[in-house]
Amino acid sequence: MKKLLISLTICLSVTGCATTKISPEERSKLNQTQTQLRTDGVSIIADGCLIRSELGTSLIVGEQSRLTALKFSDLFANRLERHGIKVNQKLSPFVCGFMPEEELKKYDYQLNNQTKRAEINSFPLINSERGDLSAQQQQALLHLNQSFKKQAEQAVQNAKNKQPISKALPISDEDVAIIQALTQSRYIFMTSTTGTDASFGKKFTAGALSVGVTLATMGAGAGFVTTYIPKEGQQYIIHLIDLEKKEILWSKGGLLQGKPFSKSHHSVEVTKPLSPLFEETAE
């Protein structure tokens, strides 16, 4: 846990922070990336991880996690298509797919709103609505997720030692070939939607939860950030990766709006998720 408890001042990326002014050189690089994406197309691999924080063992809510990943993926694909980007595939293979096994098994899991909660005895948590993936494909996608944690840990170490932060992802050629064959894409947008909804009992006992975030051991670092679970509320993180080069090209994070925890009025909203990679206007 301590490995990743660093300040979020290690920004999402030089070009991904909302408050960072984009230099002409950086704008030129982003424009080149736009051209590559329009030429080659992209795929989206989405993950959702919504936790109900309770007294005792907290709960991963499977149905809302899957719905949130799906709706965010659809919304994000729509934004990409507006900018002339073809979306080849949309996948959501796991629930809490960025979370390490030792962290995941600290929670209970509720498959859907009609089932009872249960201990987690298997890893990873497979999205029950994506049973068409082979074991080999699932393993390659899991390795891709895990490569972010390894890269994040190295990034933290480099930052402490004031060394350059590498964007390279430690993933095998075999896994890359499997993922490229599955997605028919060189460029992949990895999206992670996470959130915590404290139960009334926990709020009553602990008092109002403080504003801010708690970094978790489920690193999805881009060399600039790790995936984090908030104390309360929800957010998203996006990474654009080049599979052939095995590196992260761009990252972005922000607040996830809407009602992702709702059982009857579930909704997902986001403001300018592609800015500043693409110039977007608020809707």
Side-chain angles (χ1 to χ4, degrees):
M1 188 76 169
K2 291 182 180 179
K3 291 181 182 178
L4 299 179
L5 289 177
I6 62 169
S7 170
L8 283 176
T9 54
I10 297 181
C11 196
L12 285 166
S13 79
V14 173
T15 57
C17 292
T19 57
T20 302
K21 186 177 180 180
I22 306 300
S23 70
E25 293 79 11
E26 290 162 349
R27 183 70 262 167
S28 177
K29 289 180 181 178
L30 292 178
N31 291 344
Q32 291 174 22
T33 300
Q34 290 182 21
T35 300
Q36 292 172 321
L37 300 184
R38 289 192 177 100
T39 301
D40 292 17
V42 302
S43 285
I44 300 170
I45 300 177
D47 188 76
C49 189
L50 298 185
I51 295 171
R52 185 166 178 77
S53 182
E54 300 180 345
L55 293 172
T57 302
S58 293
L59 176 71
I60 295 171
V61 285
E63 184 167 329
Q64 279 70 35
S65 294
R66 294 191 299 274
L67 270 175
T68 300
L70 174 63
K71 290 184 180 180
F72 188 90
S73 178
D74 288 344
L75 182 155
F76 194 64
N78 180 266
R79 295 295 180 88
L80 286 168
E81 288 165 354
R82 290 187 198 177
H83 291 286
I85 310 299
K86 179 184 177 183
V87 178
N88 299 323
Q89 292 279 352
K90 292 186 294 182
L91 302 174
S92 183
F94 309 117
V95 173
C96 298
F98 282 105
M99 193 180 289
E101 182 173 7
E102 64 272 16
E103 182 74 14
L104 185 75
K105 291 185 176 179
K106 294 177 182 178
Y107 300 96
D108 285 347
Y109 182 55
Q110 185 181 27
L111 179 63
N112 58 54
N113 297 334
Q114 286 71 48
T115 59
K116 294 182 179 180
R117 63 192 296 159
E119 292 184 356
I120 297 174
N121 297 313
S122 60
F123 177 81
L125 281 177
I126 303 297
N127 183 348
S128 57
E129 297 169 3
R130 284 307 308 242
D132 54 333
L133 296 177
S134 69
Q136 188 181 44
Q137 289 169 336
Q138 289 176 355
Q139 197 67 17
L141 292 167
L142 176 62
H143 290 164
L144 177 59
N145 283 351
Q146 291 172 333
S147 74
F148 280 87
K149 180 177 183 294
K150 295 174 183 177
Q151 190 273 343
E153 290 172 341
Q154 186 61 54
V156 170
Q157 192 61 44
N158 288 0
K160 287 180 179 179
N161 296 331
K162 298 182 179 180
Q163 296 176 344
I165 296 175
S166 171
K167 300 179 185 179
L169 293 172
I171 184 172
S172 71
D173 292 341
E174 181 182 1
D175 286 332
V176 166
I178 291 170
I179 296 169
Q180 281 194 292
L182 173 64
T183 61
Q184 296 296 299
S185 301
R186 170 179 176 173
Y187 300 104
I188 305 288
F189 277 102
M190 306 282 293
T191 71
S192 173
T193 47
T194 60
T196 299
D197 183 26
S199 67
F200 175 79
K202 187 162 187 177
K203 283 185 179 180
F204 182 80
T205 301
L209 296 177
S210 61
V211 175
V213 298
T214 299
L215 296 182
T217 56
M218 48 182 294
F224 306 95
V225 73
T226 57
T227 292
Y228 55 94
I229 296 289
K231 290 182 179 180
E232 192 169 17
Q234 56 273 338
Q235 64 283 307
Y236 69 88
I237 291 177
I238 300 163
H239 300 296
L240 171 61
I241 64 172
D242 182 338
L243 278 177
E244 290 187 7
K245 291 184 178 180
K246 301 180 184 179
E247 71 176 20
I248 301 159
L249 300 179
W250 179 79
S251 298
K252 169 74 182 280
L255 294 176
L256 183 68
Q257 300 159 326
K259 298 179 179 179
F261 282 95
S262 175
K263 294 181 180 180
S264 56
H265 298 94
H266 184 279
S267 65
V268 172
E269 300 171 10
V270 63
T271 301
K272 298 195 290 187
L274 279 168
S275 178
L277 177 56
F278 291 88
E279 296 181 9
E280 292 194 301
T281 57
E283 294 186 350

